[in-house]
């Protein structure tokens, strides 16, 4: 298992500074993480930090992921699309958008689908990837199933468990459910929220996760090196 290549090295704290983002990007280059995941205001800064050779002389393959409609998903669709296009312009190549949770829970599937399709269309204009965050801790089993079905219809690239800022994070049961529903359609599963150890990561991968969002990437890699 190439653990580093599974990890979106994440820093979404409101208090994150330019120095924190620089350190995040340096760590991502050092360990070979798949991406850094940052708030939209930091995308351009991350792109600059990841451009050109590192001190070792090696160029960076680390991608830039950002979040849209974060953390509630309650933005207007037009706002999500605008935010997406600006993030892509600034250097993002992966977009993690929050589903319209309230509309999903109200059974307004047409509203949810239109929201998803609009962002997916904007993402496709730049040949980028679109992941959709469910915030599974707020959803019933049936709502999680419907969310997966709507994501399949919208043609997203990944479904994702959590923002990491609500009442709960990723669970093995949710990852397994999401994987069972979307994997046959070529859609990946990103487990995020509360994944702090190598053992946690391995459990999520065994359940079907194909990407891991975590703030503890360095710690996990240190565990892996010591094992």
């Amino acid at each position: 298992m190439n653990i580093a290549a599974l990890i979106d090295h994440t820093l979404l704290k409101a208090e994150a500074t330019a120095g924190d983002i620089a350190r995040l990007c340096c760590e991502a280059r050092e360990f070979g993480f798949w991406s850094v995941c940052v708030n939209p205001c930091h995308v351009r800064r991350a792109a600059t930090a990841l451009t050109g050779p590192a001190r070792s002389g090696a160029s960076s393959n680390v991608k830039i992921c950002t979040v849209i409609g974060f953390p509630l998903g309650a933005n207007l669709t037009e706002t999500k699309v605008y935010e997406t296009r600006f993030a892509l312009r600034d250097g993002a190549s992966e977009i993690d958008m929050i589903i319209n949770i309230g509309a999903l829970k109200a059974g307004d599937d047409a509203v949810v689908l239109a929201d998803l399709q609009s962002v997916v269309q904007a993402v496709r204009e730049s040949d980028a990837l679109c992941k959709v965050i469910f915030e599974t801790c707020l959803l019933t089993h049936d709502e999680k199933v419907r969310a997966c079905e709507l994501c399949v219809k919208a043609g997203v690239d990944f479904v994702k468990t959590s923002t990491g800022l609500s009442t709960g994070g990723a669970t093995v049961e949710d990852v397994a459910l999401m994987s069972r529903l979307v994997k046959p359609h070529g859609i990946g599963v990103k487990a995020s929220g509360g994944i702090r150890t190598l053992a946690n990561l391995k459990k999520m991968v065994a359940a079907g996760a194909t990407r891991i969002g975590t703030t503890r990437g360095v710690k996990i890699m240190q565990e892996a090196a010591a094992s």
Side-chain angles (χ1 to χ4, degrees):
M1 185 190 304
N2 185 348
I3 294 169
L6 293 169
I7 291 175
D8 288 347
H9 192 37
T10 303
L11 178 57
L12 297 171
K13 291 182 177 179
E15 66 270 27
T17 66
D20 294 329
I21 299 301
R23 184 162 48 253
L24 185 84
C25 292
C26 183
E27 290 168 349
R29 296 184 80 151
E30 178 183 353
F31 289 96
F33 294 132
W34 181 265
S35 80
V36 293
C37 185
V38 298
N39 280 305
C41 64
H42 295 303
V43 167
R44 186 174 294 184
R45 179 173 288 109
T48 299
L50 293 169
T51 299
R55 285 176 294 181
S56 66
S59 61
S60 170
N61 293 317
V62 179
K63 296 171 175 57
I64 300 171
C65 171
T66 194
V67 287
I68 300 298
F70 193 82
L72 303 178
N75 307 64
L76 293 171
T77 296
E78 292 83 357
T79 303
K80 289 181 179 178
V81 170
Y82 185 85
E83 193 175 22
T84 296
R85 288 188 171 134
F86 266 76
L88 294 168
R89 178 206 65 183
D90 285 348
S93 59
E94 300 197 358
I95 298 295
D96 288 18
M97 70 165 286
I98 320 295
I99 202 167
N100 188 325
I101 300 168
L104 180 70
K105 293 188 75 67
D108 293 333
D109 288 3
V111 170
V112 177
L113 182 59
D115 190 58
L116 294 170
Q117 289 174 327
S118 295
V119 174
V120 168
Q121 181 178 347
V123 169
R124 294 291 177 256
E125 291 170 3
S126 295
D127 194 30
L129 296 182
C130 182
K131 311 188 200 89
V132 177
I133 306 174
F134 289 2
E135 206 69 284
T136 48
C137 62
L138 302 181
L139 305 180
T140 66
H141 177 274
D142 288 347
E143 288 163 352
K144 294 167 193 173
V145 171
R146 281 179 32 241
C148 285
E149 292 170 347
L150 290 166
C151 284
V152 169
K153 288 182 181 179
V156 311
D157 299 293
F158 283 80
V159 292
K160 178 178 170 182
T161 57
S162 319
T163 61
L165 298 178
S166 190
T167 57
T171 68
V172 167
E173 293 77 16
D174 284 340
V175 169
L177 172 67
M178 294 161 72
S179 178
R180 178 172 60 81
L181 293 170
V182 304
K183 185 178 179 181
H185 303 278
I187 297 173
V189 177
K190 178 175 173 179
S192 67
I195 303 171
R196 300 184 177 92
T197 68
L198 180 61
N200 290 155
L201 180 148
K202 288 182 175 180
K203 287 178 182 178
M204 296 300 169
V205 172
T210 52
R211 191 78 66 82
I212 301 293
T214 180
T215 62
R216 305 296 179 90
V218 172
K219 177 179 179 293
I220 289 171
M221 294 303 296
Q222 290 170 342
E223 282 189 66
S227 63

